[in-house]
Amino acid sequence: MTTIEVDEDEHGSWTVFRVRGELDLVTSPLIRRRVHDAVAGGRRDLVIDLAAVRFCDSSGVGVLIASRRLLRSCGGRLRLILPEEDREGHVGRVLSALGVRRLFDVYEDVPEAIAGVTGVPGRSAP
């Protein structure tokens, strides 16, 4: 059975979703609903922490792209957490293979994402 857990925290103007489990056809509607609920509640700056996502298919990528589009349409921002060691892991490979990795601002951790700076050598902040 496919499982996913999402914890939500507020950090100033930022809403942080920590996602654990599998992001696929069955679970991606939950993420879509959480993002829509956050936007409907007036939240415009969102961080999705993918560090604990062990599987992601094209449906999961689709919900990330749709979330980016929604937030941009209302003047918001979307930032993803994908630690350096995971960037070549499953989620990083899926984003790269589908050619969409470049669409996202990717950070090492939540403090880095909220500050909008990167601690990764050789990579500038967006």
Side-chain angles (χ1 to χ4, degrees):
M1 178 176 201
T2 302
T3 61
I4 195 164
E5 295 178 24
V6 181
D7 293 326
E8 182 175 336
D9 293 313
E10 303 296 330
H11 295 267
S13 68
W14 291 91
T15 299
V16 178
F17 292 144
R18 286 186 171 86
V19 182
R20 291 181 309 281
E22 300 175 9
L23 186 52
D24 59 19
L25 181 63
V26 174
T27 62
S28 60
L30 171 67
I31 302 301
R32 184 181 314 271
R33 186 170 41 254
R34 296 291 293 266
V35 170
H36 281 262
D37 289 348
V39 170
R43 306 301 290 188
R44 299 292 184 262
D45 296 326
L46 181 64
V47 174
I48 300 178
D49 185 344
L50 301 171
V53 172
R54 63 181 179 269
F55 176 82
C56 181
D57 68 7
S58 60
S59 299
V61 173
V63 81
L64 295 174
I65 292 169
S67 298
R68 177 183 179 270
R69 187 177 305 124
L70 173 64
L71 286 159
R72 289 174 65 98
S73 74
C74 63
R77 297 175 286 181
L78 174 64
R79 295 178 177 169
L80 303 182
I81 302 299
L82 196 57
E84 186 68 30
E85 64 271 7
D86 292 338
R87 297 212 181 138
E88 294 305 316
H90 180 77
V91 177
R93 284 194 317 268
V94 169
L95 292 173
S96 294
L98 293 174
V100 298
R101 165 63 185 81
R102 62 182 169 69
L103 297 177
F104 298 100
D105 297 330
V106 178
Y107 294 85
E108 183 74 15
D109 55 32
V110 171
E112 185 181 283
I114 291 169
V117 297
T118 180
V120 179
R123 192 171 82 86
S124 61

